[in-house]
Amino acid sequence: NAALAHYSPSNGSSRNLSVDEMYLSDTGGQYLDGTTDITRTVHWGVPTPLQKEAYTRVLMGSIDLSRLVFPPNTAGRTVESFARRALWDVGLNYGHGTGHGIGNFLSVHEWPVGFQSNNVPLAAGMFTSIEPGYYRDGEFGIRIEDVALVVEAQTKSGEKPFLTFEVVSLVPYDRNLIDLSLLSPEQIRYLNAYYETIRARVGPELQRQGLEEEYRWLQRSTEP
C-alpha cells in the first residue's frame, strides 16, 4: 500500500504486515513548540537488491540536498534536483514534491515555503521538509522525510552569508536497507555526524525516562 504516495487505510484495502516487505511510516505530531513530519521506511527481513539500491539512492538524495550550501535568495526549485540526482543516475524518479513548508504549531503543509516553481526563495529561519522517495506500483514504496531548518552556512570566502540546511528530525535510518558501497566518503561523514547528534540529544532523554530497551535500540541504530 505504500506504493501510493499518500495512502489512507480502509477496511477494504488494509492487510497484515509481514517481515518480507517494505514498511513506510509517515508520522508526525503537533506540539506547543512545533510541528513534526517524519517518514521512515524499514524492512525487517531480507530486502531485494532493487529495494536496497532504491532506498540507498533515496537516502543519498536526502543527504545531498540536506548538506548543500547555496547563495541567499535561492529558490527551492533551483536546488530540488540535488534530491533526485542519485535516482536519475539509474533511471529512477518520484512523482511528488521534494518538500513543503512546516508551520510552528500551524499547518503541516504550510505555504509558501518549498521546492516547487511557485514557492518563495529560501531564507534563514524557514522550516521545510526534505522528502525524496521511490515507488514501484503494486510492489513497494520508499520515502525518507526529515524536517530541516534553513540556517546560515560557514564558508571560506567570508562574504555575505550563504545558506544550508540543519536537519532537526532525530530518527535513525534503516541500516538493513543501506548499501554502503554506493555512498561517497562525504555522505558517510554526514551520516556519522547525524548519528552522533541523535545519540547526544535523544539518548540522555531516553535514559531519563527509563526507556532502556529503546536506548539500546538507539545505540545499535546509530553505530558509525
Side-chain angles (χ1 to χ4, degrees):
N1 291 328
L4 295 170
H6 292 97
Y7 169 76
S8 295
S10 69
N11 290 334
S13 64
S14 56
R15 57 185 175 81
N16 291 336
L17 294 173
S18 82
V19 297
D20 299 317
E21 59 191 335
M22 309 282 268
Y23 175 58
L24 187 158
S25 176
D26 186 345
T27 183
Q30 289 198 295
Y31 308 91
L32 294 176
D33 54 357
T35 298
T36 66
D37 190 11
I38 304 171
T39 303
R40 289 294 183 264
T41 306
V42 298
H43 196 303
W44 295 302
V46 180
T48 67
L50 172 62
Q51 289 173 334
K52 198 165 182 175
E53 177 171 358
Y55 178 92
T56 304
R57 290 186 179 278
V58 171
L59 177 61
M60 291 163 67
S62 176
I63 292 173
D64 287 348
L65 182 53
S66 297
R67 62 186 292 268
L68 185 68
V69 176
F70 51 92
N73 296 314
T74 296
R77 67 180 181 274
T78 305
V79 299
E80 194 255 8
S81 60
F82 282 86
R84 299 180 184 266
R85 184 174 59 181
L87 288 164
W88 286 353
D89 282 345
V90 292
L92 303 179
N93 201 10
Y94 54 93
H96 58 75
T98 294
H100 54 80
I102 296 175
N104 182 6
F105 194 49
L106 291 167
S107 300
V108 179
H109 288 209
E110 181 163 291
W111 186 260
V113 180
F115 296 96
Q116 302 195 46
S117 59
N118 54 358
N119 291 129
V120 299
L122 296 165
M126 292 178 173
F127 282 97
T128 181
S129 68
I130 293 177
E131 49 180 301
Y134 174 70
Y135 310 87
R136 179 155 290 212
D137 193 24
E139 296 185 33
F140 62 88
I142 299 166
R143 186 159 71 255
I144 294 172
E145 178 182 22
D146 288 310
V147 179
L149 172 64
V150 182
V151 296
E152 292 187 356
Q154 303 299 318
T155 57
K156 292 181 179 178
S157 70
E159 295 183 11
K160 62 181 180 180
F162 272 49
L163 300 174
T164 188
F165 297 103
E166 177 189 347
V167 171
V168 296
S169 305
L170 302 177
V171 183
Y173 307 115
D174 186 9
R175 305 175 81 89
N176 190 33
L177 283 166
I178 299 175
D179 182 352
L180 279 178
S181 69
L182 294 176
L183 299 184
S184 69
E186 292 81 7
Q187 290 166 337
I188 292 175
R189 279 195 292 270
Y190 175 93
L191 205 51
N192 283 333
Y194 178 58
Y195 282 169
E196 287 178 6
T197 300
I198 294 176
R199 280 191 171 189
R201 296 186 184 175
V202 181
E205 178 61 22
L206 293 178
Q207 289 183 306
R208 188 188 70 80
Q209 295 187 29
L211 299 172
E212 291 303 322
E213 182 180 352
E214 290 81 354
Y215 177 76
R216 290 192 297 271
W217 173 86
L218 188 80
Q219 294 300 105
R220 291 194 306 271
S221 301
T222 54
E223 291 178 357

